[in-house]
Amino acid sequence: MNLIIIRNAVNTAFNRQIQEESRRRDVVYSRAIYYKLAKDYSGESLAKIGKAVNKDHATVIHGLKLFKNVINPKWEKQYYDQYIKLKIHIENKLKLQIKNIDPDRFYHDKYRIKLLQNREMYNFAKDLLLKMNLMGHKFTDKLRNQLDNITDDKKYENDNQRKS
Protein backbone atom coordinates (compact mmCIF):
# COMPACT_ATOMS: atom_id res chain seq x y z
CA MET A 1 0.00 0.00 0.00
CA ASN A 2 1.27 3.41 -0.96
CA LEU A 3 2.17 5.82 1.87
CA ILE A 4 0.43 8.71 0.14
CA ILE A 5 -2.83 6.73 -0.04
CA ILE A 6 -2.62 5.95 3.68
CA ARG A 7 -1.76 9.58 4.51
CA ASN A 8 -4.69 10.87 2.44
CA ALA A 9 -7.07 8.38 4.08
CA VAL A 10 -5.97 9.62 7.54
CA ASN A 11 -6.22 13.26 6.43
CA THR A 12 -9.74 12.67 5.16
CA ALA A 13 -10.85 10.70 8.22
CA PHE A 14 -9.70 13.37 10.67
CA ASN A 15 -10.35 16.35 8.38
CA ARG A 16 -6.85 17.78 8.89
CA GLN A 17 -3.39 17.74 7.30
CA ILE A 18 -1.10 15.49 9.36
CA GLN A 19 1.95 16.67 7.41
CA GLU A 20 1.59 20.22 8.77
CA GLU A 21 3.93 21.52 11.46
CA SER A 22 1.85 21.23 14.61
CA ARG A 23 2.10 19.80 18.09
CA ARG A 24 -1.62 19.96 18.77
CA ARG A 25 -2.88 16.76 20.34
CA ASP A 26 -5.40 15.99 17.60
CA VAL A 27 -2.71 16.28 14.90
CA VAL A 28 -0.17 14.25 16.89
CA TYR A 29 -2.70 11.47 17.54
CA SER A 30 -3.75 11.45 13.90
CA ARG A 31 -0.10 11.18 12.89
CA ALA A 32 0.39 8.28 15.33
CA ILE A 33 -2.49 6.46 13.66
CA TYR A 34 -0.88 7.13 10.27
CA TYR A 35 2.44 5.71 11.54
CA LYS A 36 0.75 2.53 12.76
CA LEU A 37 -1.19 2.00 9.54
CA ALA A 38 1.83 2.80 7.37
CA LYS A 39 4.06 0.42 9.34
CA ASP A 40 1.50 -2.39 9.13
CA TYR A 41 0.44 -1.98 5.49
CA SER A 42 3.15 -0.25 3.46
CA GLY A 43 6.26 -2.35 4.07
CA GLU A 44 8.34 0.85 3.94
CA SER A 45 11.13 1.85 6.30
CA LEU A 46 10.44 4.14 9.25
CA ALA A 47 12.45 6.89 7.54
CA LYS A 48 10.22 6.74 4.43
CA ILE A 49 7.08 6.63 6.57
CA GLY A 50 8.23 9.76 8.38
CA LYS A 51 9.33 11.53 5.21
CA ALA A 52 5.77 11.34 3.83
CA VAL A 53 4.66 13.62 6.69
CA ASN A 54 7.90 15.67 6.99
CA LYS A 55 9.20 13.81 10.06
CA ASP A 56 12.23 11.63 10.77
CA HIS A 57 12.41 7.98 11.83
CA ALA A 58 12.80 8.85 15.54
CA THR A 59 9.50 10.74 15.45
CA VAL A 60 7.87 7.71 13.83
CA ILE A 61 9.19 5.47 16.64
CA HIS A 62 7.83 7.91 19.23
CA GLY A 63 4.48 8.03 17.41
CA LEU A 64 4.27 4.22 17.37
CA LYS A 65 4.91 4.16 21.13
CA LEU A 66 2.26 6.84 21.58
CA PHE A 67 -0.18 4.75 19.58
CA LYS A 68 0.59 1.64 21.63
CA ASN A 69 0.28 3.40 25.00
CA VAL A 70 -2.44 6.01 24.49
CA ILE A 71 -4.64 5.26 21.49
CA ASN A 72 -6.69 2.37 22.82
CA PRO A 73 -10.30 1.82 23.88
CA LYS A 74 -9.49 2.78 27.48
CA TRP A 75 -7.75 6.14 26.95
CA GLU A 76 -8.68 7.57 23.56
CA LYS A 77 -11.68 5.58 22.40
CA GLN A 78 -12.73 7.97 19.61
CA TYR A 79 -9.27 7.87 18.03
CA TYR A 80 -9.07 4.11 18.45
CA ASP A 81 -12.49 3.66 16.80
CA GLN A 82 -11.37 5.86 13.91
CA TYR A 83 -8.20 3.75 13.62
CA ILE A 84 -10.29 0.57 13.36
CA LYS A 85 -12.43 2.14 10.60
CA LEU A 86 -9.32 3.21 8.70
CA LYS A 87 -7.77 -0.22 9.12
CA ILE A 88 -10.86 -1.88 7.66
CA HIS A 89 -10.93 0.65 4.82
CA ILE A 90 -7.28 0.00 3.95
CA GLU A 91 -7.70 -3.79 4.17
CA ASN A 92 -10.65 -3.58 1.76
CA LYS A 93 -8.59 -1.44 -0.60
CA LEU A 94 -5.77 -3.99 -0.44
CA LYS A 95 -8.18 -6.82 -1.25
CA LEU A 96 -9.38 -4.93 -4.29
CA GLN A 97 -5.79 -4.32 -5.41
CA ILE A 98 -5.02 -8.03 -5.05
CA LYS A 99 -8.22 -8.85 -6.95
CA ASN A 100 -7.13 -6.63 -9.84
CA ILE A 101 -3.47 -7.74 -9.84
CA ASP A 102 -3.84 -11.45 -9.10
CA PRO A 103 -7.47 -12.64 -9.31
CA ASP A 104 -6.48 -16.29 -8.84
CA ARG A 105 -4.91 -15.52 -5.45
CA PHE A 106 -7.84 -13.33 -4.43
CA TYR A 107 -10.44 -16.00 -5.13
CA HIS A 108 -8.23 -18.76 -3.70
CA ASP A 109 -7.98 -16.87 -0.39
CA LYS A 110 -11.66 -15.93 -0.44
CA TYR A 111 -12.97 -19.44 -0.96
CA ARG A 112 -10.28 -21.42 0.89
CA ILE A 113 -12.23 -21.36 4.15
CA LYS A 114 -15.47 -22.39 2.45
CA LEU A 115 -13.70 -25.28 0.74
CA LEU A 116 -12.26 -26.46 4.06
CA GLN A 117 -15.69 -26.23 5.69
CA ASN A 118 -17.17 -28.13 2.77
CA ARG A 119 -14.60 -30.93 3.16
CA GLU A 120 -15.31 -31.14 6.89
CA MET A 121 -19.07 -31.38 6.25
CA TYR A 122 -18.52 -34.10 3.67
CA ASN A 123 -16.40 -36.15 6.10
CA PHE A 124 -19.00 -35.61 8.83
CA ALA A 125 -21.76 -36.86 6.52
CA LYS A 126 -19.71 -39.94 5.60
CA ASP A 127 -19.15 -40.71 9.29
CA LEU A 128 -22.88 -40.37 9.97
CA LEU A 129 -23.68 -42.73 7.10
CA LEU A 130 -21.20 -45.27 8.46
CA LYS A 131 -22.77 -45.08 11.93
CA MET A 132 -26.27 -45.34 10.46
CA ASN A 133 -25.19 -48.40 8.48
CA LEU A 134 -23.81 -50.04 11.63
CA MET A 135 -27.12 -49.38 13.38
CA GLY A 136 -28.98 -51.01 10.50
CA HIS A 137 -30.81 -47.91 9.27
CA LYS A 138 -32.83 -48.72 6.15
CA PHE A 139 -32.14 -45.45 4.23
CA THR A 140 -28.33 -45.55 4.49
CA ASP A 141 -27.77 -46.69 0.90
CA LYS A 142 -30.16 -44.07 -0.48
CA LEU A 143 -28.44 -41.29 1.49
CA ARG A 144 -24.99 -42.52 0.42
CA ASN A 145 -26.09 -42.44 -3.23
CA GLN A 146 -27.36 -38.87 -2.82
CA LEU A 147 -24.06 -37.81 -1.21
CA ASP A 148 -22.09 -39.44 -4.02
CA ASN A 149 -24.33 -37.72 -6.57
CA ILE A 150 -23.71 -34.31 -4.97
CA THR A 151 -19.94 -34.82 -4.96
CA ASP A 152 -19.77 -36.22 -8.50
CA ASP A 153 -17.41 -33.92 -10.45
CA LYS A 154 -18.60 -35.17 -13.83
CA LYS A 155 -22.01 -33.71 -13.12
CA TYR A 156 -20.50 -30.20 -13.08
CA GLU A 157 -18.06 -30.55 -16.01
CA ASN A 158 -20.72 -29.57 -18.56
CA ASP A 159 -21.54 -26.49 -16.48
CA ASN A 160 -17.88 -25.41 -16.55
CA GLN A 161 -17.67 -25.92 -20.31
CA ARG A 162 -20.73 -23.72 -20.89
CA LYS A 163 -19.16 -20.83 -18.90
CA SER A 164 -15.87 -20.97 -20.83
Side-chain angles (χ1 to χ4, degrees), residues 13-152:
F14 291 104
N15 198 24
R16 65 183 52 90
Q17 299 295 315
I18 61 172
Q19 61 271 25
E20 74 181 22
E21 278 294 318
S22 176
R23 291 185 180 181
R24 288 189 358 236
R25 180 180 297 174
D26 59 333
V27 176
V28 172
Y29 286 178
S30 301
R31 240 186 255 130
I33 289 171
Y34 159 77
Y35 297 146
K36 176 68 173 159
L37 291 169
K39 181 177 178 278
D40 290 346
Y41 294 104
S42 74
E44 297 288 350
S45 67
L46 297 181
K48 283 187 179 180
I49 291 171
K51 190 174 182 181
V53 289
N54 304 320
K55 301 294 178 189
D56 62 4
H57 75 283
T59 307
V60 175
I61 292 170
H62 176 72
L64 290 169
K65 287 180 184 176
L66 177 73
F67 179 87
K68 181 180 173 189
N69 295 327
V70 176
I71 299 175
N72 57 49
K74 185 177 179 183
W75 294 100
E76 292 291 346
K77 183 171 176 29
Q78 68 187 22
Y79 285 98
Y80 184 77
D81 290 344
Q82 195 65 39
Y83 161 74
I84 296 298
K85 287 178 187 175
L86 281 166
K87 183 177 175 182
I88 291 168
H89 172 73
I90 288 172
E91 286 174 356
N92 288 337
K93 232 176 185 174
L94 275 173
K95 286 179 186 175
L96 288 176
Q97 280 182 344
I98 290 171
K99 182 179 180 182
N100 292 335
I101 294 170
D102 187 3
D104 290 339
R105 177 179 162 209
F106 173 79
Y107 288 111
H108 179 270
D109 291 347
K110 184 175 180 177
Y111 294 113
R112 183 182 64 83
I113 293 171
K114 290 297 177 195
L115 289 170
L116 291 172
Q117 289 171 334
N118 210 5
R119 183 183 304 151
E120 193 171 327
M121 258 196 302
Y122 174 75
N123 290 333
F124 178 73
K126 281 178 65 175
D127 289 343
L128 284 177
L129 286 172
L130 180 67
K131 290 176 183 175
M132 288 171 62
N133 194 26
L134 291 173
M135 292 173 22
H137 196 280
K138 64 181 180 179
F139 293 113
T140 306
D141 290 334
K142 184 175 180 179
L143 292 172
R144 182 173 285 114
N145 288 337
Q146 281 183 313
L147 183 63
D148 289 340
N149 190 28
I150 291 170
T151 58
D152 184 17

